[in-house]
Protein backbone atom coordinates (compact mmCIF):
# COMPACT_ATOMS: atom_id res chain seq x y z
CA UNK A 1 0.00 0.00 0.00
CA UNK A 2 2.76 2.41 0.90
CA UNK A 3 4.51 1.77 -2.43
CA UNK A 4 1.28 2.58 -4.26
CA UNK A 5 0.98 5.91 -2.41
CA UNK A 6 4.58 6.83 -3.23
CA UNK A 7 4.07 6.00 -6.90
CA UNK A 8 0.88 8.09 -7.02
CA UNK A 9 2.62 11.05 -5.37
CA UNK A 10 5.50 10.76 -7.82
CA UNK A 11 3.13 10.66 -10.79
CA UNK A 12 1.22 13.71 -9.56
CA UNK A 13 4.48 15.62 -9.06
CA UNK A 14 5.58 14.80 -12.62
CA UNK A 15 2.22 15.94 -14.06
CA UNK A 16 2.34 19.19 -12.09
CA UNK A 17 5.91 19.90 -13.22
CA UNK A 18 5.08 19.25 -16.88
CA UNK A 19 2.00 21.45 -16.82
CA UNK A 20 3.96 24.38 -15.32
CA UNK A 21 6.85 24.09 -17.76
CA UNK A 22 4.91 24.85 -20.93
CA UNK A 23 6.55 25.42 -24.30
CA UNK A 24 9.89 27.15 -24.65
CA UNK A 25 9.54 30.86 -25.22
CA UNK A 26 11.81 32.97 -27.34
CA UNK A 27 13.48 35.96 -25.81
CA UNK A 28 11.94 39.22 -27.00
CA UNK A 29 13.92 40.81 -29.84
CA UNK A 30 14.80 44.51 -29.75
CA UNK A 31 12.62 46.76 -31.91
CA UNK A 32 15.51 47.82 -34.16
CA UNK A 33 18.04 45.29 -35.38
CA UNK A 34 21.65 46.41 -35.88
CA UNK A 35 22.97 46.40 -39.45
CA UNK A 36 24.15 42.99 -40.62
CA UNK A 37 27.90 42.40 -40.47
CA UNK A 38 29.76 41.56 -43.70
CA UNK A 39 30.23 37.83 -44.27
CA UNK A 40 33.82 36.60 -44.65
CA UNK A 41 34.44 34.23 -47.54
CA UNK A 42 37.40 32.03 -48.29
CA UNK A 43 40.45 33.63 -49.90
CA UNK A 44 40.51 33.74 -53.69
CA UNK A 45 43.67 32.93 -55.64
CA UNK A 46 45.58 35.79 -57.25
CA UNK A 47 48.63 35.62 -59.46
CA UNK A 48 51.76 36.13 -57.33
CA UNK A 49 53.45 39.50 -57.55
CA UNK A 50 57.13 40.31 -57.41
CA UNK A 51 58.91 41.26 -54.23
CA UNK A 52 58.45 44.98 -53.64
CA UNK A 53 61.50 47.15 -52.83
CA UNK A 54 60.56 47.54 -49.16
CA UNK A 55 61.46 43.89 -48.53
CA UNK A 56 57.85 42.77 -48.39
CA UNK A 57 56.00 40.55 -50.78
CA UNK A 58 52.42 40.69 -51.88
CA UNK A 59 50.00 38.06 -50.66
CA UNK A 60 48.97 35.34 -53.09
CA UNK A 61 45.36 35.66 -52.07
CA UNK A 62 42.99 38.32 -50.91
CA UNK A 63 39.84 37.83 -48.88
CA UNK A 64 36.48 38.53 -50.43
CA UNK A 65 33.67 40.05 -48.41
CA UNK A 66 29.94 39.87 -49.06
CA UNK A 67 27.93 42.72 -47.58
CA UNK A 68 24.37 42.37 -46.25
CA UNK A 69 22.93 43.49 -49.60
CA UNK A 70 24.82 40.74 -51.46
CA UNK A 71 27.62 42.83 -52.99
CA UNK A 72 30.87 40.86 -53.24
CA UNK A 73 34.09 42.84 -52.94
CA UNK A 74 37.69 41.73 -53.02
CA UNK A 75 40.38 43.69 -51.28
CA UNK A 76 43.68 44.32 -53.00
CA UNK A 77 46.58 42.02 -52.18
CA UNK A 78 47.93 42.58 -48.72
CA UNK A 79 51.63 43.29 -48.23
CA UNK A 80 53.14 40.91 -45.70
CA UNK A 81 56.64 40.86 -44.26
CA UNK A 82 59.01 38.66 -46.16
CA UNK A 83 60.37 35.67 -44.31
CA UNK A 84 64.07 36.07 -43.64
CA UNK A 85 65.82 33.04 -44.98
CA UNK A 86 69.03 31.63 -43.62
CA UNK A 87 69.55 29.25 -46.54
CA UNK A 88 67.87 31.18 -49.35
CA UNK A 89 64.31 32.40 -49.60
CA UNK A 90 62.70 29.13 -50.59
CA UNK A 91 63.51 25.66 -51.70
CA UNK A 92 62.08 23.12 -54.08
CA UNK A 93 61.63 20.08 -51.90
CA UNK A 94 60.02 17.51 -54.18
CA UNK A 95 63.36 15.70 -54.61
CA UNK A 96 63.68 15.47 -50.81
CA UNK A 97 60.12 14.12 -50.52
CA UNK A 98 60.74 11.58 -53.30
CA UNK A 99 63.96 10.44 -51.58
CA UNK A 100 61.96 9.67 -48.41
CA UNK A 101 59.42 7.77 -50.52
CA UNK A 102 62.18 5.79 -52.26
CA UNK A 103 63.62 4.77 -48.89
CA UNK A 104 60.31 2.99 -48.22
CA UNK A 105 60.12 1.48 -51.69
CA UNK A 106 57.38 3.84 -52.91
CA UNK A 107 57.27 5.33 -56.41
CA UNK A 108 58.14 9.04 -56.63
CA UNK A 109 55.56 11.79 -57.04
CA UNK A 110 55.38 13.23 -60.54
CA UNK A 111 56.23 16.95 -60.47
CA UNK A 112 53.22 19.18 -61.15
CA UNK A 113 54.07 22.86 -61.69
CA UNK A 114 50.67 24.05 -60.43
CA UNK A 115 51.13 22.11 -57.19
CA UNK A 116 54.71 23.39 -56.91
CA UNK A 117 53.48 26.97 -57.26
CA UNK A 118 50.79 26.36 -54.63
CA UNK A 119 53.31 24.79 -52.22
CA UNK A 120 55.71 27.75 -52.59
CA UNK A 121 52.91 30.26 -52.03
CA UNK A 122 51.45 28.50 -49.00
CA UNK A 123 54.87 27.90 -47.43
CA UNK A 124 55.73 31.58 -47.88
CA UNK A 125 52.45 32.64 -46.26
CA UNK A 126 52.93 30.30 -43.31
CA UNK A 127 56.57 31.39 -42.82
CA UNK A 128 55.60 35.08 -42.88
CA UNK A 129 53.06 34.55 -40.11
CA UNK A 130 54.83 31.76 -38.21
CA UNK A 131 51.97 29.29 -38.78
CA UNK A 132 53.12 25.82 -37.72
CA UNK A 133 50.16 23.95 -39.22
CA UNK A 134 47.66 24.56 -41.97
CA UNK A 135 46.47 28.02 -42.93
CA UNK A 136 42.76 28.82 -42.75
CA UNK A 137 42.44 27.56 -46.35
CA UNK A 138 45.51 25.94 -47.90
CA UNK A 139 43.64 25.19 -51.10
CA UNK A 140 43.16 28.91 -51.82
CA UNK A 141 46.83 28.89 -52.88
CA UNK A 142 46.19 26.37 -55.65
CA UNK A 143 46.13 28.28 -58.96
CA UNK A 144 43.20 28.05 -61.36
CA UNK A 145 43.41 25.06 -63.69
CA UNK A 146 45.09 22.92 -61.03
CA UNK A 147 43.60 21.00 -58.17
CA UNK A 148 44.94 19.24 -55.09
CA UNK A 149 43.40 16.31 -53.26
CA UNK A 150 45.32 16.75 -50.03
CA UNK A 151 47.97 18.88 -48.34
CA UNK A 152 50.61 18.25 -45.73
CA UNK A 153 52.63 20.78 -43.76
CA UNK A 154 55.05 21.20 -40.88
CA UNK A 155 57.53 23.68 -39.43
CA UNK A 156 60.72 22.31 -37.91
CA UNK A 157 64.45 23.07 -37.97
CA UNK A 158 66.16 21.96 -41.19
CA UNK A 159 68.12 19.29 -39.30
CA UNK A 160 64.88 17.29 -38.83
CA UNK A 161 64.49 16.75 -42.58
CA UNK A 162 61.15 16.71 -44.34
CA UNK A 163 58.31 16.22 -41.87
CA UNK A 164 54.84 16.67 -43.32
CA UNK A 165 51.81 14.53 -43.90
CA UNK A 166 51.03 12.97 -47.30
CA UNK A 167 54.66 11.93 -47.93
CA UNK A 168 53.88 8.22 -47.86
CA UNK A 169 50.33 8.39 -49.26
CA UNK A 170 49.35 6.79 -52.56
CA UNK A 171 49.02 9.86 -54.78
CA UNK A 172 50.54 10.35 -58.23
CA UNK A 173 51.32 14.06 -58.57
CA UNK A 174 52.99 16.33 -56.06
CA UNK A 175 54.45 19.73 -55.39
CA UNK A 176 56.63 20.44 -52.35
CA UNK A 177 58.41 23.58 -51.16
CA UNK A 178 59.72 25.20 -48.02
CA UNK A 179 60.52 28.70 -46.84
CA UNK A 180 62.79 29.40 -43.89
CA UNK A 181 61.08 31.73 -41.43
CA UNK A 182 62.47 34.41 -39.15
CA UNK A 183 62.51 31.82 -36.36
CA UNK A 184 64.93 29.63 -38.35
CA UNK A 185 62.37 26.88 -38.95
CA UNK A 186 61.66 25.43 -42.37
CA UNK A 187 57.99 25.94 -43.19
CA UNK A 188 57.31 22.91 -45.37
CA UNK A 189 54.27 22.41 -47.56
CA UNK A 190 53.27 19.51 -49.80
CA UNK A 191 50.28 19.40 -52.17
CA UNK A 192 49.31 16.08 -53.79
CA UNK A 193 46.68 14.61 -56.06
Amino acid sequence: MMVRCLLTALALTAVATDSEAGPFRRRAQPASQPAAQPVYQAPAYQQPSAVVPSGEYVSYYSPTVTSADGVVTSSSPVAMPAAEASDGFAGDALDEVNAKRAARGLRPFVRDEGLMQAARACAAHRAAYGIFGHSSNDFAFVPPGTYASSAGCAAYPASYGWMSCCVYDNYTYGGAAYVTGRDGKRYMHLFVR
Side-chain angles (χ1 to χ4, degrees):
M1 181 73 177
M2 182 170 227
V3 173
R4 185 179 284 176
C5 289
L6 287 174
L7 288 175
T8 305
L10 182 63
L12 290 174
T13 304
V15 170
T17 304
D18 284 345
S19 65
E20 291 174 5
F24 288 113
R25 295 185 183 165
R26 290 185 172 205
R27 187 181 305 187
Q29 299 295 322
S32 64
Q33 294 289 332
Q37 296 291 326
V39 179
Y40 178 79
Q41 292 181 342
Y45 177 82
Q46 288 188 348
Q47 191 66 21
S49 299
V51 175
V52 294
S54 65
E56 298 180 338
Y57 66 92
V58 177
S59 170
Y60 293 86
Y61 70 96
S62 68
T64 56
V65 178
T66 305
S67 64
D69 57 355
V71 177
V72 177
T73 59
S74 178
S75 62
S76 61
V78 179
M80 297 182 292
E84 295 174 12
S86 59
D87 60 347
F89 180 69
D92 176 346
L94 192 60
D95 292 337
E96 183 178 356
V97 170
N98 283 336
K100 287 187 74 101
R101 290 177 61 80
R104 289 208 181 169
L106 300 171
R107 62 182 167 71
F109 288 131
V110 176
R111 180 180 304 275
D112 180 276
E113 286 308 314
L115 296 178
M116 291 296 296
Q117 183 179 354
R120 283 190 296 269
C122 198
H125 171 77
R126 291 178 45 245
Y129 288 101
I131 301 170
F132 174 84
H134 293 282
S135 68
S136 61
N137 184 3
D138 288 352
F139 296 99
F141 294 96
V142 178
T146 302
Y147 74 93
S149 300
S150 191
C153 66
Y156 290 103
S159 62
Y160 284 44
W162 190 267
M163 297 192 60
S164 76
C165 296
C166 300
V167 172
Y168 304 114
D169 293 351
N170 191 27
Y171 293 101
T172 303
Y173 299 95
Y178 69 89
V179 173
T180 305
R182 287 185 290 270
D183 56 3
K185 294 179 182 174
R186 275 196 329 167
Y187 288 82
M188 301 165 261
H189 214 88
L190 171 65
F191 280 104
V192 292
R193 71 164 196 261

